[in-house]
Amino acid sequence: MRRLIVLLCTAALSAACSEPPQKEIDRAQGAIDAARAAGAERYAPEEFGNATTALQQAHDAVTQRDYRLALSRALDASERAQQSARQAADGKARVRSEAEALVTTTTSAHQQLLSAAKAAEAARVPAPLVAAARQTAARTDATLQKARALLKAEQYLEAREALKGATERVGAQIRALNDAQKSRAARRRT
């Protein structure tokens, strides 16, 4: 329905397009600036790119004195910018949720690794293996601190990226410690 209204307005205004549609171009620029402020460049890059392209096409059409096309492109740019701002809000919320879930998962895995290292040390697992696990735990703790700071600064993409693969690395260390404990226990039985 909204597109139909835009098209009807475009058709009505195109008859009177003897000068550049500066008001519509300015409105489109304002919508693009608002979308940028909402994070559309990062969280809705495709739609934001389409909006900026449409605005550039409006400017190009003005240069070529095709004011009907300029008006059409300016209206399109405005609509796409508004859509990118909405998508950015949704994308930002989704990425924030993913990053927070990764912090929770990684924190849990980190605690499990610390417990596994303590149990492995008590079971007299070779010291280099326990030391490697403790190093992984220290690196994971630093990564978690960084990710929490990034979340606090609302840099959700960076927080998610910082935690990428951390849980898997911790899990590998836990498995290595558990395997070493089982192997050591099996040797004692024989």
Side-chain angles (χ1 to χ4, degrees):
M1 182 67 181
R2 185 176 178 166
R3 278 196 180 252
L4 179 61
I5 292 170
V6 169
L7 289 174
L8 289 175
C9 288
T10 302
L13 291 173
S14 67
C17 281
S18 59
E19 59 184 52
Q22 195 57 49
K23 187 167 64 171
E24 289 79 4
I25 290 174
D26 291 343
R27 189 175 299 130
Q29 183 63 56
I32 286 173
D33 292 342
R36 183 177 286 118
E41 281 181 299
R42 300 183 69 199
Y43 296 101
E46 186 175 335
E47 191 65 22
F48 183 78
N50 291 338
T52 58
T53 299
L55 181 60
Q56 184 57 50
Q57 290 170 345
H59 285 295
D60 293 346
V62 167
T63 302
Q64 296 169 5
R65 296 185 180 272
D66 187 348
Y67 301 140
R68 288 181 197 174
L69 180 61
L71 176 62
S72 175
R73 294 297 178 211
L75 293 172
D76 186 43
S78 217
E79 185 177 324
R80 287 178 181 273
Q82 291 169 6
Q83 179 63 25
S84 72
R86 286 189 292 274
Q87 287 178 3
D90 293 344
K92 191 173 185 179
R94 182 182 46 49
V95 172
R96 177 183 179 178
S97 177
E98 290 171 4
E100 288 173 344
L102 277 172
V103 166
T104 301
T105 303
T106 305
T107 300
S108 176
H110 177 254
Q111 292 301 319
Q112 290 173 6
L113 177 58
L114 291 174
S115 296
K118 192 173 185 177
E121 199 169 45
R124 299 183 192 250
V125 167
L129 191 56
V130 174
R134 291 200 186 279
Q135 286 176 346
T136 298
R139 283 192 301 271
T140 303
D141 186 49
T143 299
L144 281 165
Q145 288 178 20
K146 178 182 176 182
R148 287 183 184 115
L150 289 167
L151 280 173
K152 189 173 183 180
E154 296 184 5
Q155 296 179 355
Y156 306 124
L157 290 169
E158 292 82 357
R160 185 178 68 178
E161 188 62 31
L163 291 167
K164 192 174 185 179
T167 304
E168 291 78 12
R169 288 188 295 276
V170 168
Q173 284 293 324
I174 292 171
R175 284 189 298 280
L177 290 174
N178 289 341
D179 290 347
Q181 281 183 283
K182 289 177 187 174
S183 174
R184 187 149 177 85
R187 277 188 258 144
R188 283 188 195 154
R189 281 189 232 131
T190 56

Coordinates of all heavy atoms in Angstrom, one line a residue, residues 31 107 182:
A31 N 17.1 10.6 5.9 CA 16.7 9.2 6.3 C 18.0 8.4 6.3 O 18.1 7.5 7.1 CB 15.7 8.7 5.3
T107 N 31.5 -18.8 29.6 CA 31.7 -18.7 31.1 C 31.5 -20.1 31.7 O 32.3 -20.5 32.6 CB 30.8 -17.7 31.7 OG1 31.1 -16.4 31.1 CG2 31.0 -17.6 33.2
K182 N 41.5 -40.8 32.4 CA 41.0 -42.1 32.2 C 42.2 -43.1 31.9 O 42.3 -44.2 32.3 CB 40.0 -42.1 31.0 CG 38.7 -41.5 31.4 CD 37.8 -41.5 30.2 CE 36.5 -40.7 30.4 NZ 35.7 -40.5 29.2

